[in-house]
Amino acid sequence: VEDQVSSRPAAPSIAQWRLYSQASLGLKEYWYPVASSASVRRGSKSVVLCGEQIYLVRNGGRVFAVQDRCPHRCVPFSGDGGKGAARCDFAGHLTCRYHGWVFNLESGNLAAALTDGPESPIAGKVMLRTFPVQERWGMIWLWPGSRPAGPLEADVPDEFLLPDSRVYARFGLRQGNWRYAVENGFDEGHAKYLHRDSLWTAFMKLPGWNKTSIEREAGEPWLSRVQTEVHFDSDYPGLGRWPRYGFWKRSGHPSSERARATCSVRLPGLLRVVYPAFRIYEWYVPVEEDRHIYVQVNVRQARGLDRLKWALYYSLLIRGIQHRFLNNQDAWMVKLMPDSHPERFYRPDASITGWRRLVEQEARDYTTVEQAS
Ligand code: FES
Ligand SMILES: [Fe+2]
């Protein structure tokens, strides 16, 4: 309103990106990791993915995924957190605790309404929505889309598919829309200021500013930030020199090497950070408009003692320090960003517009599916 009154052009915002602005609940025609296998080792778990509340239940050693709501009176199978409101009385079937409707876990078909007798006419006439689900690399993967699920292999980094790959994952629920979290991950400018005082970068000499080009790798799904110039301390007119490095920040220090990272992003919101010694993948999994699941993944091809050494390095250094301290700063900023807001971009934000363009041009479009159905 203010803009109209003053007849200034409206400030640009996310709304100018058609598909992207509609995707507040996520790009749905993709596979997403939602939980560790260990968290559904026995029993069940409720997750929210792209706005859908989904009940994961293990039966006969296999994980099934169905809508977490009984079609009869809408009781959630997951109950109220402490106590589930469903049972598996019959192999491959789920029974609602309220009136005993029994659903086939594979097809979702209502197999029986126990309290209406074996001849109940409603059997076969009610469906529970089921979701394609897979369990791979110690993680549970869901497809929240309306189209038939594609191959899971198409939605994971190639590295997952190499022989001897061992995948380490850490799941966390975070505040803020998934899009702002992806944008923060691929954001060119922030690390050089926000992460300057994290424990992970304590001994690193971080640059003050870079020049970067945003490049699509040929034949690859990744969009990458490629550094063309790196600047450490510079003179800022009227202000002086920045940054000022403590004597303990040495560019030759081995930990400074760790600071050298190449960052890439791909659909549907997966980040890859390549450090000299290891790589991190980060999924920003859409939950509701104001929450996402943050999945940090490390993949390593190793056997025997090497695998053991890596597990130790990973748990102490990567999981213990990098994952925790660096990313808490990111989580803080994503949480602080308001729902929809005007934006005023500067040069380093080419990373963000590049990612949005990728979504507009290449995301599996879900809007046409929804309109058609
Ligand atoms: S609410 Fe589930 S059987 Fe009635
Ligand atoms: Fe960051």
Side-chain angles (χ1 to χ4, degrees), residues 8 23 30 33 91 95 108 125 146 201 260 329 339:
R8 274 186 284 126
Y30 289 88
T95 309
K125 297 202 183 76
S146 327
T201 59
R260 279 200 304 114
Q329 297 178 320
D339 274 355

Side-chain angles (χ1 to χ4, degrees), residues 70 72-75 96 98-101:
C70 176
H72 179 212
R73 303 296 303 277
C74 275
V75 162
C96 176
Y98 201 0
H99 310 91
W101 286 24

Side-chain angles (χ1 to χ4, degrees), residues 193-258:
Y193 198 86
L194 180 68
H195 297 321
R196 193 154 284 282
D197 58 358
S198 91
L199 186 55
W200 175 252
T201 59
F203 297 97
M204 296 178 188
K205 198 167 175 184
L206 288 185
W209 61 285
N210 290 349
K211 280 203 173 166
T212 308
S213 74
I214 305 299
E215 293 176 12
R216 185 66 189 276
E217 295 177 23
E220 290 285 328
W222 300 100
L223 185 71
S224 297
R225 276 178 10 212
V226 180
Q227 287 172 10
T228 52
E229 279 179 38
V230 178
H231 296 267
F232 285 88
D233 36 2
S234 308
D235 282 315
Y236 287 77
L239 297 173
R241 226 164 165 69
W242 184 84
R244 292 174 187 275
Y245 298 100
F247 66 88
W248 60 90
K249 301 231 186 199
R250 287 174 298 133
S251 47
H253 194 279
S255 63
S256 285
E257 275 297 289
R258 290 206 314 254

Side-chain angles (χ1 to χ4, degrees), residues 24 33 35 37 46 57 72 82 84 90 96 109 137 148 157 173 181 219 226 245 267 277 293-294 323 328-329 348 359:
S24 60
S37 284
S46 182
V57 59
H72 179 212
F90 310 96
C96 176
N109 191 26
W137 306 287
L173 190 64
V226 180
Y245 298 100
L267 292 160
I293 304 170
Y294 181 46
H323 281 7
N328 282 354
Q329 297 178 320
V359 174

Side-chain angles (χ1 to χ4, degrees), residues 181-193 195 206-207 209-217 222-230 259-266 271-275 282 284 330 346-355:
V182 178
E183 288 173 3
N184 170 78
F186 197 53
D187 180 302
E188 155 78 23
H190 85 288
K192 298 168 195 66
Y193 198 86
H195 297 321
L206 288 185
W209 61 285
N210 290 349
K211 280 203 173 166
T212 308
S213 74
I214 305 299
E215 293 176 12
R216 185 66 189 276
E217 295 177 23
W222 300 100
L223 185 71
S224 297
R225 276 178 10 212
V226 180
Q227 287 172 10
T228 52
E229 279 179 38
V230 178
R260 279 200 304 114
T262 308
C263 189
S264 313
V265 71
R266 66 178 268 187
L271 194 79
R272 179 185 71 189
V273 188
V274 180
Y275 293 100
E282 302 180 6
Y284 304 91
D330 292 319
Y346 75 144
R347 181 191 54 80
D349 291 328
S351 52
I352 292 172
T353 50
W355 150 250

